Amino acid sequence: AFVEGYIKPISMGIAGVVLVIAAWKLPKEQLATVSIVLSVAWFVLARRVGASYFNALVGNLTQGSDVRDMTARQLSQMKDEQTTTVLLRQLEVEDEEAVIFALEIIGRIRPHHARQAVEAKLRHPSETVREAALNTLGRMEAKKSVEALCPCLSDESSKVRAAAARALGMIGEEVDEERLTPLLLDPVEEVRVESMVALTKTASLDGILLVAERVREMLKSDSTEDRSTAAHILGRLKTRHFTPSLLPLARESDPRVRMAALRALGEAGDPRGLPVILAAMEDRSYRYRARKAALNTVDRHKKAGTKAVIEALKNETLPSAQARGLEILGHCSGEGVLPLCLQYLHDTSAEVR
């Protein structure tokens, strides 16, 4: 932060001042010589300072979460060979957290020549490291790693099995559906969800139809677990086509089903779901999730989302519900927002005002 905030702008400013003065005082030949000397000096200094800066950043791998997050942002921007080399070196240290952090940064930078080093971590004794390696391969969309990660589908850890299925879905390469279909009966919901999502992205038409039939059965099931799982799957697919199926679930009284449906509506970002989402904000148990879903929807579909919020407000008479709707409207823009806000400034309810 010190280098980015102070050293870099000050040094660039000094260099600019020197060149301005030189251009004013020196003839063209001498100015060219000075420019070449400054360029060479800058290059040498940048190499030395850059190495120290990078090593300092890497040293933050074992620091607290705030420092680590800042380090992640910095390292993700330094997409050069030296960055990758140091990160690959970090994969060999004993500190498990440092290895996981290095894997996360590699996933952001996505250097393809790091694939084999990441694959090697799939055999790490720690399930957390194996899970992180799978997530990294998924972000890298490493198609050549499909065969290497498939054995992880039968890992003893449910987190690893879920991560393996998720990675296959992110990579999107065609996979024999027989490798994924056994996970449809996995005792852990997360594994079942990730395997169904992966099947829709990697399998043949038969695999996709199998998932569709399973989801249809779960939506009609009397089991709240089945219905919440179905909502979770539809949300992971992130498409507006499933909104009609999610709306009834978002009105259910069962908290698990309703919460899963609200999350799915937010991930789909369909403005048609906003009236139900805004209504859910009335209940404190669902307010955080519903607010997040509403904000995601208006962010993805600003014009249609704003229109849906305005229409919902016009049809609402309960002051507390109007206040929740206005809270979302504050994140919208476009025609009709300002006049409606001005209108509610004179409302009889203090909460609305």
Side-chain angles (χ1 to χ4, degrees), residues 12 29 71 82-83 112 151 165 177 202 218 246 256 284:
M12 291 177 68
E29 294 78 8
T71 304
Q82 186 186 15
T83 306
H112 293 293
E177 62 194 57
T202 64
M218 288 190 289
L246 289 168
R256 183 176 178 182
R284 290 185 178 275

Side-chain angles (χ1 to χ4, degrees), residues 103 118-122 128-138 167:
L103 286 168
V118 176
E119 284 182 10
K121 296 298 136 185
L122 298 178
T128 310
V129 173
R130 296 199 300 275
E131 180 187 2
L134 288 163
N135 290 334
T136 297
L137 291 171

Side-chain angles (χ1 to χ4, degrees), residues 256-316:
R256 183 176 178 182
V257 176
R258 194 176 185 189
M259 191 71 79
L262 288 170
R263 182 186 293 110
L265 286 171
E267 290 173 342
D270 188 346
R272 291 178 296 172
L274 277 171
V276 174
I277 294 172
L278 292 174
M281 287 180 67
E282 275 298 282
D283 192 325
R284 290 185 178 275
S285 302
Y286 306 104
R287 185 167 297 169
Y288 172 77
R289 175 55 57 191
R291 182 179 185 277
K292 191 173 181 180
L295 291 176
N296 183 63
T297 301
V298 298
D299 183 60
R300 290 178 61 180
H301 302 280
K302 285 184 169 51
K303 187 174 181 179
T306 300
K307 184 178 179 181
V309 174
I310 291 175
E311 288 300 317
L313 273 169
K314 288 179 178 178
N315 296 326
E316 187 57 68

Side-chain angles (χ1 to χ4, degrees), residues 31-138:
L31 178 60
T33 303
V34 170
S35 299
I36 292 172
V37 171
L38 283 175
S39 299
V40 172
W42 178 266
F43 179 77
V44 173
L45 187 61
R47 293 284 293 181
R48 290 186 178 182
V49 173
S52 301
Y53 178 41
F54 187 80
N55 290 332
L57 286 176
V58 172
N60 290 337
L61 291 173
T62 56
Q63 301 300 313
S65 59
D66 291 341
V67 176
R68 288 162 68 97
D69 289 342
M70 183 180 68
T71 304
R73 290 193 296 271
Q74 295 291 340
L75 290 178
S76 298
Q77 297 171 11
M78 300 172 68
K79 300 181 180 181
D80 56 9
E81 189 66 30
Q82 186 186 15
T83 306
T84 306
T85 300
V86 177
L87 288 172
L88 292 178
R89 195 182 306 141
Q90 283 297 120
L91 294 181
E92 304 306 322
V93 302
E94 295 183 1
D95 185 347
E96 191 174 302
E97 289 191 9
V99 172
I100 293 170
F101 188 74
L103 286 168
E104 179 186 341
I105 303 303
I106 290 172
R108 295 189 188 191
I109 299 175
R110 302 200 296 181
H112 293 293
H113 60 280
R115 177 181 57 83
Q116 291 181 330
V118 176
E119 284 182 10
K121 296 298 136 185
L122 298 178
R123 299 184 292 275
H124 196 279
S126 167
E127 66 177 58
T128 310
V129 173
R130 296 199 300 275
E131 180 187 2
L134 288 163
N135 290 334
T136 297
L137 291 171

Side-chain angles (χ1 to χ4, degrees), residues 278 306-318 321-322 325-326 329 335-337 339-341 343-344:
L278 292 174
T306 300
K307 184 178 179 181
V309 174
I310 291 175
E311 288 300 317
L313 273 169
K314 288 179 178 178
N315 296 326
E316 187 57 68
T317 57
L318 194 65
Q322 291 173 339
L326 285 166
L329 192 65
E335 185 180 352
V337 174
L340 190 60
C341 290
Q343 174 187 327
Y344 279 108

